[in-house]
Amino acid sequence: MGLDPIRYKPWKGQRTEHAKRFLVITDHVFRQKLRSKWLLGIIILGSILVWVFPILIFSLSPHDSLTTEMMLETLQNDLLFIFVLIAASLVCADLISEDLRGNSLVLYLYRALRPERYLLGKVLGAILVMSLFTLIPPIALGIAVMATQTGPDYAASAEVIARTLLAAAFTTIFFVPVGMMLSSLTTKRTYAAVGIFMFFFTMTIVAGIFSESDINWQLLGPGNLLNFWYDVIFGEPLPEGLSSAGMAMMTFILLVPPLIVTYRRILSKGVGK
Amino acid sequence: MNDTLRTGGQDDEAGGTAGTVSAKEVVMRYGKIMALDHLSMEIPTGIVGLLGPNGAGKSTFIKAVLGLVEPQTGTITVGGLDSRQNVLTIRDKVGYMPEHDCLVEVMTGVELVSYFGMISGMSKNDSIPRSHEVLDFVGIGEERYRPISSYSTGMKQRVKLAQAIVHDPDLLFLDEPTNGMDPLGREEMLDLIERIAAGHKSILVSSHILQDMERVCEHVIIINNGRAVAQGSLKNLLGAQEGRMKLVARGIPEDLASFVKYLEKEQKVISTSEEHGQVTVVLILRGPSGEIFAAAKNAGVQVRSLTSDLSTLEEVFIRSV
């Protein structure tokens, strides 16, 4: 090491807009996650087990068009839920916990980047990575089935693809808020990863225990909740006795308060309190 | 909120000198604790030392300038811009090197510096060459391609400085920049700070190593209990007691004793010490120095030297707090 007698040179470039700088974080998260062998392994294995087989089976077997049943059968597969949960745990665990552990949060927040945009950058990055498993493959399935259909009703197939897009987008964002919250509550990514998995797993167990007394207990199970939303999105009836208000409330609880908690944590940690 | 684009390295439109900071009657409380107590100060261009004991309010002041905390009353302006209304514009002008570890250890040096350059508003095409430029400047060579987790403390300090200057801020906050560095590294860090300041930047350095501060600072602000208890140019602060001199004289003990007695009567003597037939007197002159030489001659004492005696920064600091 040692210093060369270099004069300090000013920089004369043009700055980007403040409002768009969170995209740098999104891009960074996406690239960093694609380097994770564990995550790539889960995405590849999950894609083969959950998506590749249905693509082959539905495409190769004779069919008139893409149907709601085909998509629901795939989306409501328990294996998909398990792989999405593992992927969400791996994607979200270190997004904030690592910045807390290394105290690097301050390097973001002293810059012209508001805490909400820091959070938005991280959330979008997580969503982008999750979409590799939860958004792109179902659309590919829909397109593959539509491309090999024998019937003339492409409009019906396109409608199912549109609904699939909506359902897949919902799946993509569903686990991220809780994942971010748990990542912001610890400085250890392992704790965060296990915490995310156990949070949803425990809720599934509790829902399973109590749902025999009342069907609305099923709403506690994130897998059940997702399946009910798929029914709504694809225009299928909900099970009898299931409260729509309860469903909306449970969805709200899983999506909004965790992001508020995360935001508050970033604010408090950002100023060193 | 003024979130407009700006060109790096230019003075702002508000008319103030880009990096100057002014705080007026700033009050900041955390519950019952008064972190900043009607703090007023002016930070000019150049290297400014921010001194104070632990808990004096230095970090709170820096956070208030950065808009990370909002004072209850008072105003802070950076280059003429209000810190409450122009948070983002001000932050574009500011670089911050925290005291504690803050680097993302899985990233390489060049990745980290260019990443934070982009978050500070640089395009990818600008940030990569610029990050190499600032890493060259701070003296990080091929190590820049290694993960930061493998760096020594001194190298981490340099990368912290690099991330703080990558976007060419007008105002730089350096919190304990020489922390954990060996003597050579410390000297190089101080040299870097001086080189940055040569580019007409305002650099606010907070450090407990007063020799370092004395070596690089042109201006010093001492904070205690949330108030600026002393501020001014280093030269003025160190020579605050005008006429303070150090006199060294030799002679036989009896003559020296009568000479010292004369000095105590006619001048303001601060301290006297005697060693091996030589007396050293620190005093404040009340008249022309010729009188002292005449009195020495009469007493049969040889004056070896009479020089102005500046305080050290440490003495000023201890007196102030």
Side-chain angles (χ1 to χ4, degrees):
Chain A
M1 225 158 33
L3 291 179
D4 291 326
I6 303 171
R7 193 172 61 87
Y8 177 78
K9 290 180 199 156
W11 172 67
K12 298 285 185 191
Q14 186 79 19
R15 291 191 198 274
T16 56
E17 282 177 52
H18 290 135
K20 289 183 180 169
R21 293 186 194 171
F22 69 91
L23 293 172
V24 175
I25 299 176
T26 302
D27 178 64
H28 175 71
V29 168
F30 186 70
R31 287 168 191 273
Q32 190 196 26
K33 290 292 167 189
L34 289 188
R35 289 187 204 162
S36 163
K37 288 174 191 160
W38 281 98
L39 181 64
L40 283 180
I42 287 294
I43 289 177
I44 292 167
L45 181 66
S47 296
I48 291 169
L49 294 177
V50 178
W51 300 114
V52 174
F53 287 138
I55 287 175
L56 292 174
I57 292 165
F58 291 138
S59 302
L60 296 177
S61 57
H63 56 280
D64 281 343
S65 64
L66 174 65
T67 62
T68 297
E69 289 72 31
M70 286 176 181
M71 290 312 301
L72 275 177
E73 191 182 319
T74 315
L75 287 170
Q76 293 181 336
N77 185 343
D78 287 344
L79 204 56
L80 171 64
F81 172 72
I82 291 167
F83 272 102
V84 175
L85 184 49
I86 295 170
S89 303
L90 292 176
V91 169
C92 298
D94 62 349
L95 289 186
I96 295 177
S97 61
E98 280 295 294
D99 288 340
L100 296 181
R101 188 183 65 81
N103 292 314
S104 50
L105 192 57
V106 70
L107 295 187
Y108 290 93
L109 298 188
Y110 93 72
R111 290 182 155 80
L113 180 78
R114 296 192 171 282
E116 59 269 26
R117 289 186 191 148
Y118 163 83
L119 178 58
L120 181 62
K122 294 277 183 177
V123 167
L124 278 184
I127 287 173
L128 212 56
V129 180
M130 291 293 292
S131 70
L132 293 176
F133 181 60
T134 56
L135 187 70
I136 295 169
I139 300 303
L141 168 65
I143 291 169
V145 174
M146 190 169 83
T148 54
Q149 72 181 46
T150 52
D153 196 358
Y154 284 95
S157 298
E159 189 192 332
V160 174
I161 290 178
R163 289 176 191 269
T164 304
L165 182 67
L166 196 59
F170 184 68
T171 314
T172 305
I173 62 167
F174 185 75
F175 295 92
V176 173
V178 170
M180 299 303 286
M181 179 182 75
L182 290 168
S183 179
S184 73
L185 293 177
T186 176
T187 55
K188 289 194 165 63
R189 63 179 171 183
T190 316
Y191 290 179
V194 173
I196 296 163
F197 187 86
M198 290 310 292
F199 177 87
F200 288 110
F201 184 72
T202 308
M203 287 182 72
T204 305
I205 300 289
V206 172
I209 293 168
F210 292 104
S211 60
E212 285 181 15
S213 61
D214 185 341
I215 191 171
N216 283 305
W217 280 100
Q218 283 195 18
L219 293 172
L220 269 187
N224 299 331
L225 191 60
L226 271 176
N227 289 343
F228 295 144
W229 274 110
Y230 296 149
D231 286 336
V232 170
I233 291 167
F234 283 97
E236 296 293 312
L238 287 171
E240 208 170 308
L242 192 79
S243 163
S244 304
M247 193 171 139
M249 193 181 75
M250 197 59 212
T251 309
F252 176 84
I253 288 170
L254 286 177
L255 296 184
V256 180
L259 285 178
I260 293 172
V261 171
T262 313
Y263 177 69
R264 300 295 309 174
R265 284 282 294 172
I266 292 167
L267 273 189
S268 66
K269 291 291 169 186
V271 296
K273 274 194 271 184
Chain B
M1 198 65 52
N2 185 356
D3 287 6
T4 52
L5 295 175
R6 77 176 267 280
T7 303
Q10 288 181 342
D11 282 5
D12 68 277
E13 317 75 24
T17 307
T20 57
V21 178
S22 170
K24 285 186 185 132
E25 291 292 311
V26 177
V27 173
M28 178 77 218
R29 285 192 194 86
Y30 292 119
K32 286 180 182 174
I33 300 165
M34 185 79 104
L36 299 177
D37 182 8
H38 298 89
L39 178 77
S40 295
M41 64 165 80
E42 297 287 333
I43 300 175
T45 306
I47 307 175
V48 179
L50 186 65
L51 308 180
N54 293 333
K58 304 187 294 287
S59 299
T60 304
F61 173 69
I62 292 173
K63 284 175 189 169
V65 176
L66 293 172
L68 293 172
V69 295
E70 197 165 306
Q72 275 85 25
T73 61
T75 55
I76 297 175
T77 58
V78 179
L81 299 172
D82 189 290
S83 71
R84 284 198 181 107
Q85 289 168 4
N86 305 90
V87 179
L88 299 187
T89 312
I90 286 175
R91 286 188 193 169
D92 271 344
K93 296 166 178 278
V94 174
Y96 177 44
M97 176 183 174
E99 176 188 0
H100 50 72
D101 277 344
C102 58
L103 302 174
V104 184
E105 301 223 321
V106 292
M107 294 171 91
T108 65
V110 68
E111 273 173 355
L112 181 127
V113 176
S114 84
Y115 174 55
F116 282 108
M118 284 192 277
I119 291 177
S120 286
M122 304 173 86
S123 67
K124 198 169 192 172
N125 287 341
D126 279 351
S127 75
I128 292 174
R130 173 69 180 171
S131 58
H132 283 288
E133 193 175 288
V134 293
L135 286 167
D136 285 339
F137 175 73
V138 300
I140 295 284
E142 292 300 307
E143 308 90 351
R144 71 187 64 177
Y145 300 109
R146 290 196 335 233
I148 289 169
S149 56
S150 68
Y151 286 11
S152 66
T153 307
M155 288 160 75
K156 284 180 182 172
Q157 289 295 98
R158 288 165 195 267
V159 175
K160 274 158 68 178
L161 179 63
Q163 66 75 29
I165 59 174
V166 63
H167 55 296
D168 190 30
D170 299 321
L171 171 64
L172 199 55
F173 290 113
L174 307 178
D175 203 350
E176 302 287 353
T178 55
N179 217 3
M181 298 184 91
D182 59 42
L184 182 64
R186 238 176 75 187
E187 199 55 36
E188 288 181 352
M189 179 61 82
L190 297 176
D191 186 30
L192 287 172
I193 294 169
E194 285 178 326
R195 282 194 222 169
I196 298 166
H200 304 290
K201 309 284 179 193
S202 286
I203 304 181
L204 192 68
V205 189
S206 170
S207 174
H208 285 106
I209 305 173
L210 299 181
Q211 297 97 312
D212 288 355
M213 305 291 268
E214 212 168 326
R215 151 103 156 67
V216 296
C217 295
E218 298 150 25
H219 196 95
V220 168
I221 298 167
I222 300 175
I223 297 184
N224 193 25
N225 294 326
R227 281 175 166 270
V229 291
Q231 56 183 311
S233 72
L234 188 67
K235 202 174 158 190
N236 285 346
L237 281 178
L238 298 186
Q241 287 175 283
E242 214 172 319
R244 184 177 160 123
M245 309 290 280
K246 185 159 98 174
L247 180 144
V248 179
R250 288 185 82 99
I252 56 173
E254 293 77 24
D255 294 346
L256 280 175
S258 72
F259 179 58
V260 169
K261 201 170 269 179
Y262 158 79
L263 290 174
E264 284 171 348
K265 190 175 160 196
E266 299 297 326
Q267 312 290 339
K268 186 178 175 188
V269 173
I270 293 168
S271 67
T272 308
S273 61
E274 191 180 350
E275 202 173 349
H276 308 305
Q278 180 170 294
V279 70
T280 304
V281 182
V282 177
L283 51 83
I284 294 171
L285 278 182
R286 284 180 173 157
S289 56
E291 290 176 10
I292 293 180
F293 288 105
K297 193 177 174 186
N298 291 339
V301 166
Q302 185 188 19
V303 175
R304 305 297 294 258
S305 66
L306 178 65
T307 53
S308 63
D309 181 54
L310 292 178
S311 312
T312 62
L313 189 54
E314 194 169 342
E315 285 168 344
V316 173
F317 178 76
I318 290 168
R319 264 206 313 269
S320 303
V321 301

